[in-house]
Amino acid sequence: MKANEWKWALAILVIILLAYILPYTILTEVANWYGSLLIWIVLTLIVIIMNYFISRNWGK
Amino acid sequence: MSTTYVWWAIAIYVLASLFVAYLSRSGKQSSMSSYFIGDRKLNGFVSALSYSATTYSAFMLVGLSGLTYMGGVGALGFELIYLMGVSLVAFFGPRFWLVGKKYGYVTPSEMLGDRYDNKAVAIVVSISSCLFLIPYSAVQLAGVGYLLQGMTDNAISFTTGVIIATVLAIVFSFIAGIRSVAWTDSLQALFMIITSTVVVIIIISKLGGLGDFIHTLETDHSELLTVPGNGFWNFTTFLGMTIPWFFFSLSNPQVSQRLYMPKSLKSLKTMLMGFMIFGFIYTIVAIVWGFSAAIKFPGLENADLATPLLLSSDLVPPILGAIVMVGIMAAAVSTIDSILLTLSSLFARDVYGNLKKGATDLMQLRVGKLVIPIIAILAFLFAELEVNLIAVLSVASSAGLLVVVPAIIGTFFWKRGTAAGVLTSVIIGGLIVVIIELTQIKPLGLASGIWGIVISTLLFIIVSLLTKAPEKKANEFLGYIRTALEKEKR
């Protein structure tokens, strides 16, 4: 893997870990739309943006 | 809902899809690579839509909505963690694509067999994919059965629904192989997402708008907004369901085979990004759908009936209800036909092609076409077993496919991986998953998928270290990827 790829892989891994940890810890009592519902959506959007940056130069 | 509407909607859908399938017949489909992977010439847009249609099935608006209905927001986390897992394509996609082109691979298991320099690897991996994917297709077929039955109040029976879906899947894959599948998939993907999004918007407005919708959830169903919430999504369940799906893009050959199909790396990029956006929208739609059902019809015993009830309720205009129902059916059919095609290519290429001496490409193609209806009928028979909870069986199948993931990762990232390592990890890992699923004994409370991935990883590493790696092939294979990626970078 290229060095650059490792950095992206690590960043995505961290976001995914947060997607497991946050809803089951600090958000277990937040029964509102801005609790787990929002956090999962936001984390996914971040990952999608990262994928855009990883694949931006493919085939160029 | 009026049965007449439903039949009309089905008729229009079938005619439109057949027309598109007919139009897709370009060129001769006289070789394995042209029939099963479209000569590696798919454009990005079709690749993205077809990848979406193949991945997203009746599970979304029936099973995932059902999981939301029963356990709340955990279903969103489950499905979005899967979507984040598609990032694996950002790393494995270009590698699959490059070696596919260079060595002419038609199936992922063919690639494993070549990379580990052992025909048995290709045979075993493809057989294990067939074993686990046939029940998965059966789940899709059953989804259509439940849906038609539920929406028409038994006027269209479960079996009729299942037969319609089976026949359509056979026809769509038969007409022009992957070309007809990819084009009908694209039509169906657009149909699925547009109709379901429109309906969700209508449902929310009928429930008093987004503000009221959220307010009702927060006040009357607050347990649905947290995990573990009402207890359904306890952490071990969450882990047991998310891990298999996280690796779905690698473990499921009907999607990993698609990494060979785009015509360029640029098309592969369009496929990845297009899919992620599609998946994001479709997931939100399915979750809102499940929440709406929970608000409107609390207390159902069988959560899989939530969607049919919602569609035939006064919240959705009857014609639109019928159209969306067909959209869900399209989601199922577009998944099954891709699986059918992939499984028949696996059988023809890796099982028949390796066991029959001197099996030419043309002979493999003939066998492949012959196998399509046979696999469909097997799935049909399975579907007739009427399994209660659609989502659970889906997850069980992906747990079984998971055991091949260590071998796929090793293909690209571990020179020391050996054929013996692959064989033991896939065979023993697969058996353990089957035993856990059959006995429903969960050691340490962990699901079959987790045991599958842990045991297969350990076996792959340990056995590989004890046996001799195919050094020459590994060096050549990985060396090619390295230089090709560097060239791309420039």
Side-chain angles (χ1 to χ4, degrees):
Chain A
M1 244 176 171
K2 291 178 288 178
N4 212 4
E5 277 187 309
W6 281 114
K7 281 181 205 154
W8 283 117
L10 193 67
I12 291 174
L13 187 71
V14 169
I15 304 274
I16 289 167
L17 286 177
L18 288 176
Y20 278 98
I21 296 165
L22 294 179
Y24 280 93
T25 53
I26 56 172
L27 296 175
T28 49
E29 301 297 321
V30 187
N32 300 86
W33 67 270
Y34 49 80
S36 300
L37 184 80
L38 182 69
I39 202 78
W40 271 321
I41 289 177
V42 170
L43 292 174
T44 306
L45 287 175
I46 296 174
V47 168
I48 293 178
I49 293 167
M50 287 179 169
N51 273 273
Y52 168 75
F53 282 107
I54 299 171
S55 63
R56 184 168 53 155
N57 290 323
W58 289 0
K60 276 191 182 164
Chain B
M1 168 169 295
S2 149
T3 314
T4 322
Y5 280 148
V6 174
W7 279 121
W8 270 109
I10 293 176
I12 293 168
Y13 153 67
V14 171
L15 286 177
S17 314
L18 284 177
F19 181 63
V20 169
Y22 178 77
L23 288 185
S24 72
R25 300 181 333 148
S26 68
K28 280 186 192 162
Q29 279 90 45
S30 54
S31 73
M32 285 294 282
S33 106
S34 103
Y35 193 79
F36 288 110
I37 56 171
D39 283 323
R40 300 173 215 280
K41 278 183 185 155
L42 247 50
N43 75 49
F45 186 68
V46 170
S47 300
L49 285 176
S50 178
Y51 193 104
S52 308
T54 299
T55 299
Y56 290 123
S57 57
F59 170 75
M60 291 297 277
L61 290 186
V62 182
L64 189 67
S65 305
L67 288 175
T68 315
Y69 179 90
M70 278 190 297
V73 74
L76 175 75
F78 157 60
E79 191 63 29
L80 288 183
I81 285 181
Y82 152 71
L83 192 61
M84 295 188 216
V86 177
S87 303
L88 289 166
V89 171
F91 303 98
F92 286 86
R95 290 172 165 83
F96 264 77
W97 186 84
L98 284 167
V99 293
K101 209 171 163 181
K102 157 108 175 155
Y103 301 106
Y105 301 138
V106 173
T107 67
S109 33
E110 180 188 4
M111 174 181 78
L112 295 188
D114 184 46
R115 161 66 178 79
Y116 291 104
D117 206 10
N118 188 314
K119 282 183 183 172
V121 166
I123 298 172
V124 166
V125 170
S126 56
I127 290 176
S128 109
S129 301
C130 291
L131 286 180
F132 288 113
L133 272 175
I134 291 173
Y136 183 75
S137 330
V139 170
Q140 304 304 325
L141 292 172
V144 176
Y146 277 124
L147 189 75
L148 288 178
Q149 186 189 29
M151 287 217 23
T152 59
D153 223 2
N154 287 319
I156 300 178
S157 71
F158 178 84
T159 305
T160 310
V162 174
I163 291 175
I164 293 175
T166 312
V167 172
L168 285 179
I170 296 177
V171 171
F172 291 166
S173 41
F174 225 83
I175 290 183
I178 191 66
R179 278 194 182 82
S180 46
V181 165
W183 281 96
T184 50
D185 269 8
S186 301
L187 177 74
Q188 297 181 94
L190 289 173
F191 190 57
M192 281 150 66
I193 198 152
I194 293 171
T195 54
S196 56
T197 309
V198 168
V199 163
V200 152
I201 292 170
I202 292 177
I203 291 175
I204 290 192
S205 69
K206 289 236 174 125
L207 288 172
L210 193 60
D212 273 13
F213 176 78
I214 288 169
H215 182 73
T216 314
L217 273 181
E218 286 179 341
T219 46
D220 301 345
H221 303 275
S222 62
E223 76 286 353
L224 292 180
L225 285 171
T226 55
V227 280
N230 58 15
F232 181 89
W233 288 110
N234 65 56
F235 192 70
T236 44
T237 304
F238 189 74
L239 205 61
M241 304 238 331
T242 46
I243 298 282
W245 284 73
F246 181 83
F247 292 103
F248 186 94
S249 59
L250 290 183
S251 63
N252 278 55
Q254 77 278 21
V255 288
S256 63
Q257 191 177 35
R258 274 157 197 277
L259 302 175
Y260 297 138
M261 298 180 198
K263 67 177 177 205
S264 64
L265 278 176
K266 198 165 162 269
S267 299
L268 184 69
K269 171 177 73 179
T270 312
M271 179 172 107
L272 172 63
M273 294 315 296
F275 171 73
M276 285 194 139
I277 293 163
F278 186 104
F280 182 74
I281 297 172
Y282 204 46
T283 302
I284 306 272
V285 165
I287 300 293
V288 172
W289 195 280
F291 278 139
S292 313
I295 291 175
K296 182 81 179 167
F297 307 105
L300 288 180
E301 241 171 62
N302 183 353
D304 287 340
L305 290 177
T307 289
L309 272 175
L310 195 61
L311 278 180
S312 44
S313 73
D314 55 357
L315 289 179
V316 183
I319 294 185
L320 204 54
I323 292 173
V324 172
M325 189 218 69
V326 172
I328 299 175
M329 195 171 139
V333 172
S334 59
T335 299
I336 305 163
D337 60 5
S338 302
I339 295 180
L340 272 186
L341 206 59
T342 296
L343 290 185
S344 44
S345 71
L346 290 176
F347 184 83
R349 189 75 161 185
D350 301 314
V351 181
Y352 172 78
N354 281 323
L355 292 181
K356 168 97 183 164
K357 267 191 189 152
T360 60
D361 196 74
L362 194 63
M363 286 159 78
Q364 291 178 16
L365 182 61
R366 279 196 200 127
V367 169
K369 286 185 181 174
L370 198 70
V371 167
I372 293 175
I374 298 176
I375 295 176
I377 289 165
L378 282 176
F380 169 79
L381 294 174
F382 244 97
E384 285 291 294
L385 298 174
E386 286 198 50
V387 184
N388 265 334
L389 211 53
I390 286 182
V392 176
L393 193 56
S394 281
V395 172
S397 322
S398 44
L401 292 168
L402 204 56
V403 298
V404 77
V405 167
I408 295 176
I409 297 177
T411 299
F412 297 102
F413 297 108
W414 198 43
K415 257 184 200 181
R416 279 292 289 119
T418 72
V422 179
L423 291 172
T424 29
S425 66
V426 171
I427 294 171
I428 298 180
L431 281 175
I432 286 171
V433 168
V434 171
I435 291 168
I436 293 178
E437 288 300 330
L438 289 180
T439 58
Q440 285 298 315
I441 297 168
K442 294 182 174 177
L444 303 177
L446 296 175
S448 60
I450 310 220
W451 285 109
I453 188 94
V454 169
I455 290 171
S456 59
T457 305
L458 288 175
L459 285 173
F460 178 62
I461 295 174
I462 295 169
V463 176
S464 288
L465 288 175
L466 294 174
T467 45
K468 193 176 172 323
E471 268 177 50
K472 198 174 149 221
K473 181 70 205 180
N475 282 330
E476 196 250 334
F477 186 96
L478 296 173
Y480 170 70
I481 292 177
R482 200 177 315 114
T483 30
L485 283 179
E486 268 162 23
K487 214 160 98 192
E488 276 302 324
K489 210 180 161 192
R490 266 186 272 131

